[in-house]
Amino acid sequence: MQQKIIILDFGSQTTQLIGRRVRELDTFCEILPYNKFPQNDDSVIGVILSGSPYSVHDPEAFRVELSQFVGKVPVLGICYGAQYISNTLGGKVEKADSREYGRAHLAMVDSNNPLFRGFTPNSQVWMSHGDTITDIPAGFQCIASTNDVKYAAYAGSGIWAVQFHPEVFHTVQGTQLLKNFVVDICGSRQQWSAASFVDTTVAELKKQLGDDRVILGLSGGVDSSVAAVLLNRAIGNNLTCIFVDHGMLRKNEFRDVMHDYECLGLNVIGVDASEKFFGDLAGVTDPEQKRKIIGRDFVEVFNAEAKKIQGAKWLAQGTIYPDRIESLNITGKVIKSHHNVGGLPEEMQLSLCEPLKWLFKDEVRRVGRQLGMPEHLITRHPFPGPGLAVRILGDITRERVEILQNADDIYIRSLRDYKVKLSGEEARKVLAAGVPAEMTEGEIEVSLYDQVWQAGAVLLATVRSVGVMGDERTYEHPVALRAVTSTDAMTADWAHLPYQFLAKVSNDIINKVKGVNRVCYDISSKPPSTIEWE
């Protein structure tokens, strides 16, 4: 039986991050709304209660019946989870004199307690709470304090609780704490790995699909590509993939990705439907209208090709775990629709197959490596379904797409070619994300491309700016460059790319791309901005 850690979500922005950290410990976990604890599930070996935007004293604060799991399996409360446990079991939680936010250091740690085994003195942690625990329940012990927070951690009766966030990078030994809980306290056998996932999933797919034919829509991205290779290993030529070119992919992307898929031995049908898409988009400038037209046309083209495949019974999708988590809030109501979570068009009459539905993005990449896929496919940045159509401000023409493709190609190739050396926490973040790199004398060397979550160029087609090239006045379009760092795309910060790199890219684009005479760099974070411009 596969062991499982249950993470009960009380609405924290970092709940997914808790899940990713547990998975990094080769332990399966499932994130569930706070009120959906699974009953009679013998595979559960521990429970983690997340943080929350609420105070435990708010009338609308989320509450859970602790007797469902306390005393049955080990429990770890984080931030709100720690305060809720204390408040519920007879301790005291009061509003702090000032919000306790940011870096702090553990002035006292009970190193004999299994939760803090291996901790160093004065270890840095990350606080983020407005309330604070001023008294703990009877029979519990304080096991860590900072100079400002007496009960930074407490334990008793099979419960461990911390008021800081061990899941974030700023808590330097947070992974050690989670390992102590998951492995030492809960007894995880650490059997969840890319290799075990591939073996188990291939066996399950063979059993689920039998000799049925399966259709999968490929996008060129890592999720659908890994799903295709996994299915191909399970059912071989019974899988047919469809890759639709709407004409707004990156430069040479359709050709290059088709070549990659052929090298992987996939049965792929490539469809050039660019004439239809460009025709239907002519004169359209509204971003939402662009997306709707492209989405509608894609379904029409895909369905037309799918109908040609005789005997197909399944539609496979590259849905991953964050897609499903983000589509439900902690009350179980839909708050954000994902293209892979909306079900199937009724006219297709196919069953749904989602082989990656339990994986986080970094796990998908690890599975891709386990399957022997080329690194450039595995590390591809996310790319919007409508493609460059939502990176052109204004109406879409072939000429404008070509301008943006050329500028974007220079930018992306430059990001791949530019190498930087990292050490300390920066190196740790990159390695934790699964980027292949070797540590030499405490340093790693990686490309800028592998340091950022997503990058691309944007053509401001509705704007023209004056420039001078040689002795001639120009009146052409600006291009904006975008690069962000993120862990899940829910929030993102602009990437601090080196000035030397930006200067060279700007110069190359202006000199080599006809129609561009100005390059800007977008330094907006999400929120308040979005990653894409449209």
Side-chain angles (χ1 to χ4, degrees):
M1 181 185 298
Q2 177 175 260
Q3 296 176 313
K4 180 192 301 180
I5 297 287
I6 293 295
I7 300 169
L8 294 180
D9 181 18
F10 288 84
S12 171
Q13 290 184 341
T14 60
T15 301
Q16 278 198 42
L17 195 52
I18 301 171
R20 292 179 67 229
R21 295 290 174 262
V22 173
R23 295 282 184 88
E24 287 168 6
L25 296 169
D26 299 328
T27 302
F28 182 71
C29 67
E30 189 173 350
I31 297 173
L32 296 172
Y34 70 97
N35 56 355
K36 300 294 183 181
F37 182 78
Q39 302 297 322
N40 304 316
D41 187 344
D42 294 335
S43 67
V44 178
I45 61 171
V47 176
I48 298 176
L49 278 59
S50 82
S52 174
Y54 290 111
S55 161
V56 295
H57 300 300
D58 288 343
E60 64 270 33
F62 301 125
R63 294 173 173 82
V64 64
E65 179 52 60
L66 296 176
S67 62
Q68 296 178 90
F69 42 82
V70 169
K72 300 175 182 178
V73 293
V75 177
L76 173 65
I78 295 175
C79 197
Y80 174 91
Q83 295 171 356
Y84 179 80
I85 292 169
S86 177
N87 192 64
T88 303
L89 297 183
K92 186 179 293 185
V93 177
E94 298 179 297
K95 189 172 184 62
D97 293 336
S98 61
R99 181 171 174 81
E100 294 163 343
Y101 180 83
R103 291 176 176 84
H105 293 84
L106 297 179
M108 185 282 288
V109 172
D110 181 359
S111 57
N112 292 320
N113 189 282
L115 190 68
F116 286 105
R117 187 173 293 121
F119 263 58
T120 57
N122 207 37
S123 187
Q124 177 181 291
V125 298
W126 185 263
M127 297 283 188
S128 180
H129 53 91
D131 292 344
T132 193
I133 298 170
T134 55
D135 198 10
I136 55 178
F140 285 70
Q141 301 82 40
C142 176
I143 56 174
S145 304
T146 70
N147 289 329
D148 298 318
V149 181
K150 179 178 180 180
Y151 298 109
Y154 66 91
S157 302
I159 296 172
W160 288 261
V162 297
Q163 287 204 85
F164 55 87
H165 288 270
E167 69 273 20
V168 302
F169 279 108
H170 301 298
T171 297
V172 175
Q173 292 186 276
T175 299
Q176 179 68 47
L177 185 146
L178 290 172
K179 181 176 183 293
N180 290 343
F181 177 74
V182 170
V183 179
D184 296 344
I185 295 173
C186 296
S188 168
R189 294 189 294 268
Q190 295 186 281
Q191 294 177 330
W192 174 263
S193 65
S196 67
F197 175 84
V198 169
D199 292 342
T200 302
T201 304
V202 168
E204 289 175 349
L205 289 170
K206 287 180 177 179
K207 183 178 179 181
Q208 177 188 21
L209 304 174
D211 294 326
D212 293 348
R213 294 187 65 83
V214 180
I215 303 170
L216 185 146
L218 288 170
S219 67
V222 61
D223 298 336
S224 66
S225 299
V226 171
V229 175
L230 197 59
L231 279 160
N232 185 59
R233 180 166 293 191
I235 63 173
N237 286 332
N238 279 345
L239 171 69
T240 301
C241 303
I242 300 173
F243 184 23
V244 177
D245 180 9
H246 49 39
M248 286 149 283
L249 300 173
R250 282 178 157 148
K251 186 174 182 179
N252 300 325
E253 184 170 26
F254 185 69
R255 180 198 69 192
D256 294 345
V257 172
M258 283 294 293
H259 175 72
D260 285 334
Y261 288 151
E262 289 169 7
C263 291
L264 289 168
L266 298 179
N267 178 23
V268 184
I269 298 171
V271 184
D272 181 357
S274 56
E275 286 291 339
K276 174 178 177 58
F277 283 88
F278 277 111
D280 290 347
L281 286 168
V284 177
T285 59
D286 179 72
E288 189 61 23
Q289 192 66 16
K290 289 181 189 176
R291 289 180 178 272
K292 288 180 178 179
I293 290 170
I294 292 171
R296 180 200 68 201
D297 285 3
F298 179 86
V299 170
E300 290 178 5
V301 172
F302 184 86
N303 286 351
E305 291 298 323
K307 289 177 181 177
K308 299 176 185 177
I309 302 169
Q310 298 297 319
K313 296 184 178 180
W314 297 84
L315 176 69
Q317 293 186 155
T319 312
I320 63 174
Y321 198 33
D323 295 340
R324 299 195 296 132
I325 296 171
E326 291 164 9
S327 294
L328 294 174
N329 70 4
I330 55 180
T331 63
K333 297 178 181 178
V334 174
I335 58 172
K336 180 180 180 182
S337 296
H338 283 261
H339 62 282
N340 277 349
V341 189
L344 301 174
E346 291 183 6
E347 66 271 18
M348 293 195 75
Q349 297 181 338
L350 299 174
S351 299
L352 187 61
C353 176
E354 298 173 307
L356 307 180
K357 64 182 180 180
W358 290 110
L359 299 186
F360 289 97
K361 177 72 77 173
D362 50 338
E363 292 177 309
V364 174
R365 292 192 166 108
R366 291 190 185 101
V367 168
R369 293 186 179 102
Q370 182 67 31
L371 291 166
M373 293 174 61
E375 195 65 27
H376 67 269
L377 265 182
I378 295 170
T379 58
R380 278 173 61 93
H381 288 173
F383 188 66
L388 299 180
V390 292
R391 293 181 180 176
I392 296 175
L393 275 62
D395 61 319
I396 310 301
T397 66
R398 287 190 179 273
E399 179 187 12
R400 288 176 172 179
V401 169
E402 183 178 358
I403 290 172
L404 184 54
Q405 283 177 331
N406 290 331
D408 181 81
D409 183 59
I410 291 171
Y411 182 35
I412 297 301
R413 283 192 290 107
S414 299
L415 283 167
R416 289 188 182 278
D417 292 341
Y418 196 96
K419 308 295 183 184
V420 293
K421 290 185 177 181
L422 303 175
S423 61
E425 185 172 320
E426 287 185 324
R428 187 161 61 91
K429 287 181 181 179
V430 171
L431 292 172
V435 176
E438 291 187 5
M439 184 78 74
T440 305
E441 296 181 355
E443 288 186 331
I444 61 172
E445 184 177 78
V446 296
S447 69
L448 282 180
Y449 185 88
D450 287 333
Q451 274 194 277
V452 303
W453 171 268
Q454 188 171 340
V458 179
L459 179 65
L460 280 64
T462 57
V463 177
R464 288 183 181 271
S465 64
V466 175
V468 178
M469 292 187 181
D471 295 326
E472 295 184 3
R473 174 185 182 273
T474 61
Y475 194 51
E476 297 177 330
H477 298 298
V479 161
L481 304 180
R482 183 76 158 137
V484 297
T485 57
S486 181
T487 56
D488 54 17
M490 298 296 288
T491 61
D493 193 14
W494 61 277
H496 294 231
L497 301 181
Y499 290 151
Q500 180 183 10
F501 168 81
L502 290 172
K504 185 178 186 307
V505 171
S506 173
N507 190 62
D508 286 348
I509 290 174
I510 291 171
N511 285 336
K512 297 177 182 178
V513 181
K514 186 178 180 181
V516 176
N517 67 353
R518 191 178 299 270
V519 173
C520 310
Y521 187 57
D522 183 349
I523 58 170
S524 310
S525 296
K526 175 188 178 182
S529 301
T530 54
I531 294 177
E532 299 296 341
W533 278 44
E534 288 193 343

